[in-house]
Amino acid sequence: MQKKIIAVAVAAALGTPGLSFAVGAFDENVVIYGAARVSYDLVDNGNGTTTANGATATNGTTVNKVSSNTSKIGFKGKEDLGDGLYSIWQIESQVNLDDATTSPGGGFGTRNTYGGLTSDHFGTIRLGRYDTPYKVSTRKFDLFGDTLFDTRALTGGAANISSAVAFDGRPTNTVNYLSPSFNGFTVNAAYAAEAEGVTNSSQTKGKLWSIAGTYDASPFYATLAYEEHDFGTIGTGGAAAVAGGATGSGSFGATQNGAPAGSKEKATKVGLGYDIDAFNFGFAYEKTSDDEAAGGADRFGHNTYYLSGKYTFGTDALRVAYTKAGQVGSITNSEAKLYSIGYDHNLSKRTTLYAAYGALKNGSGINYPLTFANGTGANASSAFGAKVSGLSFGMNHAF
C-alpha cells in the first residue's frame, strides 16, 4: 500500500498535463527508481578566436552555478507470463532539480522509455526510446559520466563539431534486441526509424543502425561496436529534409547540421576494461567517417581515444581520465584533449560526495565545449582554441 501511495504522489508531483494515475494501476511488480545528482560548478570558458584558425580574438566567460546532472525518476515493472517469458515496461524522465522549467527537464518519458518482452532463453526486445548499443557498450568506462567532465565532450561525436548527429544517442522509434549471455558474451542490436511520415517512390527515409558485441567475465571486459546514420532524402521528415530547408521530425532531432540528402556517417569503437583488486582500468578507441562534404568527401571523420583509472580505498576513491580527439575532417589544428581528476567519498552505498577538476584544451581550429547538454549542467560554446577548465563539487544519490 505504501508503494502505491508513493507512486501516486510522485506522479502528481510531476505535474504533467493530462496525466493521471489510479491507485489500482500499481501493483507489486512496480519499481520506482531514480537519481538526484547535483553539483556546484565553477567554469572558465577560456580565451580564443571567433573562427577556426582565425585572428579575431574573443574573451571567454566564467560561470558559477548549481547544476542538475541528469537527475531522473523512473517507473518500471514486469509480468511473469510463464515458461520463462515476461512482459516488461519502463517510463523514465529527466528532472532538473535546480530549475524544473529548464529543457530537457519537465517532460514525462523523456529518457529510456519502452515496452517489450524478455525471455530467459531468447533475450530481450524493447520498442520505444532507448540508448543505442554503441552508446551502452563503453559508458561504464566513463568515470566522470553525467557530470561536468563527461567524456562525451569529445567522444561519440559532438553535434555540428565532430559529427552531424552524436553517436552516443537515445533515438525514438527504436527496436532494440539484447541476446542472452553465452558464457559472458552478448549481442546488442538496434534499429531506429528516423521518420514516420509517408514517402513516395523517389524518397528514402532516414534510419539508424547500431550493434555491439560484448564479452563481460570479471575481471575482463571487451566490446566492439558499430553505428550508422543514414540521413535519407529531402521530404521524408528526417535529416535531409532539414538540410533541404523543410521541417524535420525524425528521431535524430530537429536539426541535422547540414547533412546532405542521401549522406551517411559511421562510427566504429573498441573498448577494453580490467579490474584487479582495488583498481579499475578502462580504454576505448573510436573512428568515425562520413560522406557529407562536397563530392562525398569526409566532413567530420576523426578518431578519439579514452583512458580511465580508479583506485578505491575504504569509503574513498581517486579517479583520473584522459581523452584525446584527433583532427576533424580536413580542418587543421582541430585536435583536442580533456584531462580530469576526481576524489569521491561514499557516505553510504547510495550517496557519494565528490570534488573534481577538469581541463579541455582545444586546437586553434576547433571549439569543443567542456560538457555535453546534460540538463542544467550544459555550458556555453567555447571559442576556437580555448582552454576550458572547471571545478565541480557535487553529490550523487541513487534510489
Side-chain angles (χ1 to χ4, degrees), residues 274-364:
Y274 190 76
D275 300 336
I276 179 170
D277 297 327
F279 293 92
N280 309 93
F281 301 98
F283 168 79
Y285 172 84
E286 72 177 351
K287 181 175 179 59
T288 72
S289 62
D290 61 64
D291 57 359
E292 299 170 20
D298 208 319
R299 178 186 177 202
F300 288 119
H302 68 289
N303 59 72
T304 307
Y305 68 84
Y306 172 75
L307 289 166
S308 64
K310 182 178 180 178
Y311 173 63
T312 302
F313 50 103
T315 58
D316 297 344
L318 177 67
R319 50 196 166 99
V320 294
Y322 172 73
T323 310
K324 181 178 180 180
Q327 178 174 310
V328 177
S330 60
I331 305 172
T332 58
N333 304 313
S334 54
E335 301 85 358
K337 301 175 182 179
L338 172 62
Y339 308 84
S340 307
I341 184 169
Y343 189 91
D344 301 340
H345 176 65
N346 296 306
L347 298 176
S348 70
K349 291 183 178 180
R350 297 187 292 136
T351 303
T352 300
L353 300 179
Y354 69 86
Y357 170 81
L360 191 161
K361 181 64 177 73
N362 284 297
S364 60

Side-chain angles (χ1 to χ4, degrees), residues 8 58 69 117 148 153 199 204 213 218 254 281 290 299 319 337:
V8 173
T58 180
N69 302 307
L117 294 171
L148 187 63
T199 58
T204 303
S218 184
F281 301 98
D290 61 64
R299 178 186 177 202
R319 50 196 166 99
K337 301 175 182 179

Side-chain angles (χ1 to χ4, degrees), residues 116-139:
L117 294 171
T118 185
S119 166
D120 297 338
H121 307 292
F122 303 107
T124 302
I125 186 166
R126 302 178 179 93
L127 282 77
R129 180 172 190 168
Y130 203 70
D131 290 337
T132 66
Y134 187 90
K135 174 182 179 180
V136 173
S137 64
T138 56
R139 286 307 297 148

Side-chain angles (χ1 to χ4, degrees), residues 24-94:
F26 293 91
D27 56 33
E28 300 306 321
N29 74 355
V30 176
V31 176
I32 303 172
Y33 68 95
R37 304 170 59 91
V38 291
S39 62
Y40 186 76
D41 301 333
L42 301 89
V43 182
D44 184 346
N45 283 306
N47 300 326
T49 60
T50 58
T51 58
N53 299 303
T56 303
T58 180
N59 293 326
T61 58
T62 58
V63 180
N64 300 342
K65 61 183 178 179
V66 173
S67 298
S68 180
N69 302 307
T70 320
S71 299
K72 62 185 179 182
I73 187 166
F75 307 88
K76 63 182 179 180
K78 66 179 183 179
E79 180 186 13
D80 189 345
L81 302 176
D83 296 324
L85 181 66
Y86 300 85
S87 62
I88 56 173
W89 62 272
Q90 178 173 296
I91 302 172
E92 186 176 290
S93 307
Q94 181 164 314

